[in-house]
Amino acid sequence: MKKAKRIILTTLATIGIVLAVLIVTAVVITSLPSVRQKLVERATTMLSEKLGTRVSIEHADIGILKGTVNLYGIEVDDQQKRKMLKVEELSANLRLRALLRKRIVVNEAQINGMNALLTKKTDSTAANYQFIIDAFKKKGVKEKRSKEVKEKKKLTVDVSRVKLNDIHVKYDKYDLLIGKADYQTDKNRQLNATINNLQAAWTAQKKKGPVDNRAFIEEVIVKQQGTSYNAEFERLKFTTDNHKPRKNTNKPKRGFFDLDHLNIMADISMTIDPTVKDTLKAVITRCKATDNMLGMDLRNLKTQLAYTKGTLNLRNTELQQGETRLVIGNAAIKLPNKKTGQRLAYSTGLIKGRVVLKDIARTFAPVLGGFIMPLHLNVSMSGNDSTISFRNIKIINTNKKLQIAANGDISHLKEKERLNIHFNIATMHAQKGIAEQIIKQFKVKKLMMKQLDNLGNLNYKGNLWVLWRKEKFEGVMRTAAGSLNFNFTLDESNKYVTGRASSTNLALGNVMELEKLGVIDASADFKIDISKARTAVIRRQKGGKLPIGTVNAVVNDCSYRNIHLRNLSADIQSDGAVASGEVMKHGRIRDLFFTFSFTDTDEMRKVKITHPGIKFHPLSEKNKQQREERRQQKKLEKEQKKLEKQQKKLEKEQKRQQKQLEKQQQDEDNQPQKKKKKFLIF
């Protein structure tokens, strides 16, 4: 589009010079009405010969004393004999005295009703207006001339004011219409320009077909201040239309974002500085844009930008979309270029601000339509036309009850079947109660909210993926009731949630409000039906508030009434109204089991336990042999214990007898000797 404008301006300037020369010739040579037409015809003949094509002017009015020239019915053909230029009326007011100093000074020029047809089919073919540029191109001279001589003979053209009315320029697939334009310079050579009812139309060819583009600006005001220009674009309207249904037609979960169906209304103020060579600098001081169908509500955009050799640099960017406000310190965008093979690429510094997800709901995700909780965001981005990388993501809510740190990547943006969105959640901390507040932002059926509250503070680490018709989640959730490992998948094609959860220390009794049930070590596989069509039929038949699906659990260890139970299995089936299942205690010879049912997860204490039973396992030959070996082993162990007992008894008896002998010996040693009797003989 920029190249087309440059070509249009160059061509119009060249045509203007031709017309100016023609006007000056008419003013100087003629003052008699009888010879005007002949001289005009002579001038157009000379111009036709120089250009090698037809040039015609119907008639002219020239006022020598007033210095006015009016030309009517100007036509110029291209070399393919197509009408390249047609001007209904061209008028000019000249300063005649300036001609004596070889200056063409136009106080005011006006063009009414102009049509221009410009074409350039391919890069290798010449444009249909190239012959005009070549005809008036300055030719080199062999002899050197002094600077003074050149300046002396140089013819200058000075235009103070130009008015345009009803201008139509067509360049290949581009159509440009100007209702009214006024260009003028003041005494300080400062430019002031106004354009009213500027329209542009073109058709872009895309893989899926043509897309019509339309742009309309009610008023453009440009004022020069020194070396810079202030530009105001009022009531700009830009539309695109591929004449096909929107991408989200019959897809209520999909947002309205569709580049082929835009209807943007905008007002823009900016300052442009063209003084730096090969660089265009601009400052956007105001930009408001809306698209009610798309969901765009850009209340303000401010930025400083510089464009150099295909790279757009932005600094101090501020934008507000609805209630969302973001600040981007710096960003660089490399624009695509087919000639050099340059792909779109971009990177940003730190992006920070306040985000309300509701502001992007209609555009990208209607499910966020009720998410009004403000979040504070820090992130940096980079990518190209196929990928996006998010680094150092930090999200925190106003009261700091929710804190998230993560990184993410999106790949295959242009291939929906291969689209891969991946985020690695390094840490997520959610204080008690905030999870319920977040869930309440969504218009979904809210199940097991009391159990979620019983989990207390949540700390999560894991990954999530968004794939073609599939979302996957996995990680570790640490709670006040214990830790939980999980992975599950939302299958959008078949409308099921499937996955697995496990824990070695989950206080399930506290979570489910079952006082007799303690900490468990268990794992479970589940499959939940999320099809609205299928579940609606079941709900009409049976009602109920429970999820619809199955759970298969294995309990390695648990406590019930302070009794440890191991090696349990539980199979649960829920039809939405009633969840029923069977718990089995596995043994080597027999299994103990019972059935249970419940209708409300918020009142698990009312679980009904029925049909207890016992089931014996039929023994195989191997099991029988093992059992006989165990019996023999037990018999041998029993006999061995009996012998050991007898041996101990014998050893005990021997010790007793030994002690008894030692005691007798000791008693004998301690007994006093008997004294001999003495008799007195007189």
Side-chain angles (χ1 to χ4, degrees):
M1 186 66 179
K2 180 180 177 182
K3 181 179 179 182
K5 289 181 180 178
R6 178 173 55 81
I7 292 170
I8 292 168
L9 293 174
T10 302
T11 305
L12 294 178
T14 304
I15 295 171
I17 293 172
V18 174
L19 297 176
V21 172
L22 189 61
I23 291 169
V24 171
T25 303
V27 170
V28 173
I29 295 177
T30 182
S31 62
L32 298 174
S34 60
V35 297
R36 288 176 188 168
Q37 191 64 29
K38 290 183 179 180
L39 290 176
V40 169
E41 291 175 359
R42 178 59 178 164
T44 55
T45 300
M46 292 174 61
L47 193 56
S48 297
E49 291 174 354
K50 184 173 181 61
L51 296 177
T53 186
R54 186 181 72 88
V55 177
S56 67
I57 301 175
E58 287 184 4
H59 68 277
D61 290 333
I62 301 171
I64 295 297
L65 297 178
K66 295 181 180 180
T68 59
V69 177
N70 295 310
L71 302 179
Y72 301 92
I74 303 169
E75 293 185 1
V76 179
D77 291 349
D78 63 15
Q79 292 182 324
Q80 285 74 39
K81 297 183 179 181
R82 293 174 297 190
K83 191 175 293 183
M84 186 182 71
L85 178 67
K86 181 178 180 180
V87 179
E88 293 180 5
E89 179 183 0
L90 185 150
S91 62
N93 184 283
L94 308 175
R95 293 183 187 176
L96 298 180
R97 289 183 181 181
L99 293 173
L100 300 175
R101 298 188 297 272
K102 295 191 175 180
R103 292 181 61 209
I104 300 176
V105 178
V106 181
N107 291 328
E108 182 176 321
Q110 182 167 323
I111 299 176
N112 296 321
M114 186 186 82
N115 283 274
L117 175 63
L118 310 177
T119 63
K120 191 177 188 304
K121 294 183 178 179
T122 63
D123 294 337
S124 59
T125 59
N128 72 327
Y129 51 83
Q130 185 65 41
F131 72 99
I132 297 178
I133 299 174
D134 294 340
F136 290 92
K137 188 181 295 182
K138 292 182 179 180
K139 298 181 180 179
V141 294
K142 296 181 180 179
E143 299 179 359
K144 277 191 173 183
R145 297 183 181 177
S146 65
K147 183 177 180 181
E148 291 79 7
V149 173
K150 287 185 177 180
E151 289 182 351
K152 186 176 180 181
K153 293 188 176 182
K154 185 177 180 181
L155 179 67
T156 60
V157 179
D158 187 359
V159 181
S160 298
R161 186 171 188 179
V162 176
K163 291 183 177 181
L164 305 176
N165 293 294
D166 191 18
I167 306 300
H168 181 200
V169 178
K170 186 171 183 179
Y171 178 76
D172 288 338
K173 61 182 179 181
Y174 298 101
D175 257 346
L176 180 66
L177 296 172
I178 299 175
K180 182 187 296 185
D182 189 348
Y183 164 95
Q184 58 183 316
T185 56
D186 59 20
K187 61 182 179 179
N188 297 319
R189 311 297 296 174
Q190 297 290 290
L191 166 69
N192 288 281
T194 303
I195 303 175
N196 296 102
N197 299 327
L198 175 62
Q199 300 180 56
W202 66 97
T203 300
Q205 293 294 334
K206 295 188 176 182
K207 291 182 179 179
K208 293 186 177 180
V211 179
D212 290 338
N213 295 261
R214 299 286 184 272
F216 173 80
I217 307 176
E218 187 172 316
E219 186 175 42
V220 180
I221 302 173
V222 180
K223 294 183 179 181
Q224 185 178 0
Q225 291 185 345
T227 58
S228 63
Y229 299 86
N230 294 330
E232 302 278 344
F233 301 87
E234 300 296 336
R235 293 170 291 281
L236 181 152
K237 183 177 182 180
F238 177 71
T239 63
T240 63
D241 189 0
N242 65 354
H243 305 284
K244 295 179 181 179
R246 298 186 73 99
K247 291 182 179 179
N248 67 338
T249 302
N250 300 322
K251 297 177 181 178
K253 292 185 178 181
R254 189 167 187 168
F256 280 79
F257 181 76
D258 189 345
L259 292 176
D260 298 334
H261 291 85
L262 299 177
N263 189 4
I264 299 173
M265 302 291 293
D267 295 307
I268 303 171
S269 300
M270 62 192 305
T271 301
I272 302 171
D273 181 5
T275 56
V276 180
K277 185 179 180 181
D278 298 329
T279 300
L280 176 64
K281 290 186 176 181
V283 178
I284 297 177
T285 56
R286 175 182 66 106
C287 178
K288 295 182 178 180
T290 59
D291 185 332
N292 295 329
M293 181 62 73
L294 180 65
M296 175 188 289
D297 182 19
L298 185 62
R299 299 183 181 179
N300 199 9
L301 169 65
K302 299 179 181 179
T303 188
Q304 300 173 19
L305 58 89
Y307 177 78
T308 306
K309 296 180 180 180
T311 300
L312 185 64
N313 292 292
L314 301 104
R315 293 191 303 113
N316 302 326
T317 302
E318 301 178 20
L319 65 88
Q320 181 179 355
Q321 160 69 18
E323 297 300 323
T324 296
R325 298 181 180 89
L326 296 177
V327 176
I328 307 172
N330 59 82
I333 304 172
K334 289 187 177 181
L335 301 178
N337 189 317
K338 292 183 179 180
K339 291 183 178 180
T340 62
Q342 173 65 46
R343 296 175 61 190
L344 174 70
Y346 58 89
S347 62
T348 73
L350 179 65
I351 303 172
K352 58 182 180 180
R354 178 179 180 270
V355 176
V356 179
L357 295 178
K358 179 184 178 181
D359 295 331
I360 62 171
R362 183 173 179 83
T363 309
F364 298 106
V367 70
L368 300 174
F371 204 112
I372 60 174
M373 178 187 294
L375 302 172
H376 299 278
L377 169 70
N378 283 2
V379 65
S380 59
M381 295 173 56
S382 62
N384 53 43
D385 55 358
S386 181
T387 65
I388 305 176
S389 293
F390 303 90
R391 293 294 177 266
N392 303 316
I393 303 171
K394 292 184 179 179
I395 299 172
I396 184 171
N397 74 326
T398 304
N399 57 17
K400 298 183 179 180
K401 288 188 175 183
L402 174 67
Q403 300 181 42
I404 301 174
N407 292 305
D409 295 281
I410 303 177
S411 59
H412 304 293
L413 283 169
K414 296 182 178 180
E415 305 169 85
K416 61 182 181 180
E417 291 84 1
R418 299 180 62 194
L419 178 68
N420 188 336
I421 302 175
H422 172 235
F423 282 89
N424 173 255
I425 314 299
T427 59
M428 186 202 77
H429 174 69
Q431 293 185 21
K432 183 176 180 179
I434 192 65
E436 294 92 314
Q437 292 181 35
I438 293 173
I439 293 174
K440 288 177 181 178
Q441 308 286 302
F442 297 94
K443 295 181 180 180
V444 295
K445 192 171 185 179
K446 299 165 181 64
L447 302 171
M448 303 185 73
M449 297 295 286
K450 184 181 291 187
Q451 289 74 18
L452 179 62
D453 183 68
N454 291 340
L455 289 173
N457 293 343
L458 305 177
N459 291 279
Y460 167 68
K461 180 179 181 180
N463 296 275
L464 65 90
W465 292 267
V466 178
L467 308 172
W468 171 244
R469 296 185 175 275
K470 187 179 294 185
E471 293 87 40
K472 297 175 66 175
F473 304 82
E474 62 91 12
V476 179
M477 184 76 74
R478 292 180 174 83
T479 74
S483 61
L484 184 69
N485 293 270
F486 66 87
N487 64 78
F488 64 90
T489 300
L490 275 70
D491 185 348
E492 298 287 354
S493 296
N494 300 306
K495 302 298 181 182
Y496 283 103
V497 178
T498 59
R500 181 179 179 83
S502 63
S503 177
T504 58
N505 61 344
L506 182 63
L508 187 61
N510 294 338
V511 177
M512 304 302 295
E513 297 181 349
L514 295 171
E515 298 177 358
K516 298 175 183 179
L517 181 63
V519 176
I520 69 167
D521 175 358
S523 62
D525 297 306
F526 55 87
K527 183 177 182 180
I528 307 299
D529 194 339
I530 58 172
S531 168
K532 289 186 177 181
R534 292 193 297 261
T535 57
V537 174
I538 298 175
R539 296 290 184 196
R540 285 195 297 268
Q541 294 175 351
K542 300 186 177 182
K545 301 179 180 180
L546 296 174
I548 299 173
T550 61
V551 178
N552 304 111
V554 174
V555 181
N556 301 314
D557 186 274
C558 71
S559 61
Y560 186 75
R561 292 185 176 179
N562 297 323
I563 299 174
H564 274 283
L565 299 172
R566 297 178 176 84
N567 198 21
L568 302 176
S569 66
D571 298 323
I572 305 172
Q573 292 186 345
S574 172
D575 60 7
V578 178
S580 59
E582 182 180 75
V583 175
M584 184 169 290
K585 170 67 174 71
H586 298 281
R588 285 178 294 186
I589 300 175
R590 60 189 177 275
D591 296 335
L592 303 177
F593 63 89
F594 64 86
T595 59
F596 65 91
S597 63
F598 59 89
T599 58
D600 192 341
T601 54
D602 291 338
E603 296 183 358
M604 292 299 293
R605 64 178 65 89
K606 296 182 180 180
V607 172
K608 294 181 180 180
I609 298 177
T610 56
H611 303 101
I614 184 170
K615 181 180 180 181
F616 290 93
H617 298 299
L619 297 177
S620 62
E621 292 298 327
K622 183 178 181 179
N623 290 336
K624 290 179 180 179
Q625 183 179 354
Q626 289 176 348
R627 186 176 67 174
E628 185 62 29
E629 289 176 354
R630 287 196 296 270
R631 286 179 179 177
Q632 292 297 329
Q633 183 67 26
K634 287 182 179 180
K635 185 176 180 180
L636 291 174
E637 290 175 355
K638 187 176 181 180
E639 291 178 355
Q640 182 67 27
K641 288 180 180 180
K642 185 176 180 181
L643 291 174
E644 290 176 355
K645 187 176 181 181
Q646 290 176 353
Q647 181 67 26
K648 288 180 180 180
K649 186 176 180 181
L650 180 60
E651 291 176 355
K652 186 176 181 180
E653 181 63 26
Q654 290 176 351
K655 288 181 180 181
R656 188 184 68 76
Q657 292 178 1
Q658 181 67 27
K659 287 182 179 181
Q660 189 175 13
L661 289 174
E662 290 176 354
K663 186 177 181 181
Q664 289 178 357
Q665 184 65 37
Q666 188 176 4
D667 291 343
E668 290 178 0
D669 293 340
N670 294 334
Q671 186 176 3
Q673 294 181 359
K674 294 181 179 182
K675 296 183 178 181
K676 293 181 180 182
K677 294 181 180 182
K678 295 181 179 181
F679 297 97
L680 295 176
I681 298 175
F682 296 96

